[in-house]
Amino acid sequence: MSIDNVLQKRSGLVCELCGSTDDIAALEVNGGPNSDINEQIVTCATCRQQINEEVPLDPNHWRCLNDSMWSEVPAVQVMAYRMLNRLNAEGWARDLLDMMYLDDDTKAWAKAGMAANNAIVHIDSNGNILQRGDTVVITETLKVKGSSVTAKRGTSVRNISLVHDNAEQIEGRVDGQQIVILTKYVKKSK
């Protein structure tokens, strides 16, 4: 039995993430301990394109993770975890992440692949990984260059954005103005 046949039999000829039957194909879930059939999932074209960042992320499409995150297939669990992390700005995605359980090995695989996909990792002053949509607190009073705005210590900045080409910078709104903040001056709110 070929790998494709094994995957198709396991998936029932549907996308293991959203359940679609359109244009299904195997997708390797990187970062796993082996390079075998257990590190592949069956996905539809819509899921594949968004996973590979070929098209913009459609948060509503990924509401399907509410069901697929409970799959017994570790590779499906890993991909669900990674996609929920990418959708962290969505309240429902954060709720699902809070409910999701992964054993230690599967969680390590999920996180390893996330680090491999995102060479730039934003880290706060306490060593916590920052993600798009997080809320942070400013740890020192900061003067904003080119503006009369002062970002005071203790100011909460919600729904941050990450500067994709600089691990030391994030963006957020302070006093109604979008500013760039150095990660060494913020701590992630729990």
Side-chain angles (χ1 to χ4, degrees), residues 36-168:
D36 63 12
I37 188 76
N38 296 318
E39 293 180 8
Q40 295 181 19
I41 61 174
V42 174
T43 60
C44 67
T46 303
C47 288
R48 273 192 315 279
Q49 290 170 344
Q50 291 184 47
I51 289 168
N52 294 329
E53 299 180 11
E54 297 168 6
V55 297
L57 205 54
D58 175 11
N60 286 325
H61 173 78
W62 293 102
R63 289 185 180 268
C64 60
L65 296 176
N66 185 48
D67 296 326
S68 57
M69 70 185 225
W70 302 111
S71 171
E72 293 181 8
V73 178
V76 175
Q77 294 172 357
V78 166
M79 189 54 69
Y81 180 87
R82 290 177 184 174
M83 293 309 297
L84 288 170
N85 273 284
R86 281 179 56 190
L87 293 160
N88 196 15
E90 304 291 327
W92 60 266
R94 284 191 303 273
D95 292 343
L96 291 179
L97 265 175
D98 289 342
M99 289 188 295
M100 189 173 191
Y101 171 79
L102 298 176
D103 64 46
D104 292 339
D105 292 339
T106 305
K107 193 166 196 172
W109 174 14
K111 288 184 175 185
M114 287 170 49
N117 286 343
N118 303 321
I120 294 180
V121 177
H122 295 75
I123 298 176
D124 74 357
S125 60
N126 293 333
N128 297 313
I129 295 176
L130 298 172
Q131 297 177 343
R132 183 175 58 90
D134 281 347
T135 298
V136 296
V137 175
I138 297 176
T139 59
E140 292 185 24
T141 299
L142 305 170
K143 290 190 173 219
V144 179
K145 290 183 181 179
S147 171
S148 62
V149 173
T150 299
K152 295 185 179 177
R153 180 180 183 205
T155 300
S156 182
V157 182
R158 295 184 188 149
N159 199 21
I160 64 167
S161 300
L162 306 178
V163 176
H164 294 289
D165 59 351
N166 190 336
E168 297 176 359

